[in-house]
Amino acid sequence: QVQLVESGGGSVQAGGSLKLTCQASGLTASVYCMGWFRQAPGKEREGVARVDAYGDATYSESVKGRFTISRDHAKNTLYLQMDSLRPEDTATYFCARRSRLVGDCPLLVDSNWNMWGQGTQVAVSS
């Protein structure tokens, strides 16, 4: 079964850290553009970080310097290390795989992210 499964969410105080994991199965995640997105209640889904097939990573301005996206090829896993968390980081976090047909890897939400996990919730209290 081809799927992405996120884990690692939870509740932390501001300034704390969490590490999210996205386990891929039925696909080789390393050959795809993979990304982390988040959606807060009442807000649109937004891109947080993405890594292309060559390992190049980009981040949204709101998380740059605090979050780190990485992969473990052997484990077929994508990670998001989140440090210096803020209350505004509270959201449901999703990992996603981008279609290889489009040949790009932007940090924006569109229909070319064609596989999504179920999400993991992150709550940051002040």
Side-chain angles (χ1 to χ4, degrees):
Q1 185 177 2
V2 181
Q3 62 179 357
L4 301 172
V5 179
E6 302 96 335
S7 62
S11 297
V12 295
Q13 290 190 328
S17 298
L18 285 172
K19 186 173 185 177
L20 305 184
T21 298
C22 174
Q23 180 66 59
S25 57
L27 67 132
T28 303
S30 62
V31 303
Y32 290 93
C33 169
M34 300 289 294
W36 284 100
F37 299 81
R38 67 186 181 187
Q39 188 165 18
K43 295 188 176 181
E44 293 187 351
R45 192 169 297 188
E46 63 174 352
V48 173
R50 70 72 166 147
V51 59
D52 67 17
Y54 304 100
D56 181 60
T58 58
Y59 301 88
S60 67
E61 286 299 319
S62 62
V63 307
K64 194 176 294 183
R66 300 187 297 121
F67 291 11
T68 304
I69 189 171
S70 63
R71 302 188 203 241
D72 185 324
H73 297 309
K75 294 182 178 180
N76 208 21
T77 301
L78 182 74
Y79 300 103
L80 185 68
Q81 176 68 44
M82 305 187 297
D83 299 317
S84 301
L85 282 161
R86 304 168 180 169
E88 54 263 40
D89 296 317
T90 296
T92 300
Y93 284 71
F94 302 88
C95 68
R97 180 198 76 176
R98 191 160 181 84
S99 169
R100 296 179 70 188
L101 295 178
V102 294
D104 64 358
C105 191
L107 189 59
L108 58 86
V109 180
D110 64 22
S111 60
N112 290 312
W113 293 95
N114 60 5
M115 180 178 292
W116 294 83
Q118 83 289 350
T120 185
Q121 292 190 337
V122 172
V124 184
S125 59
S126 58

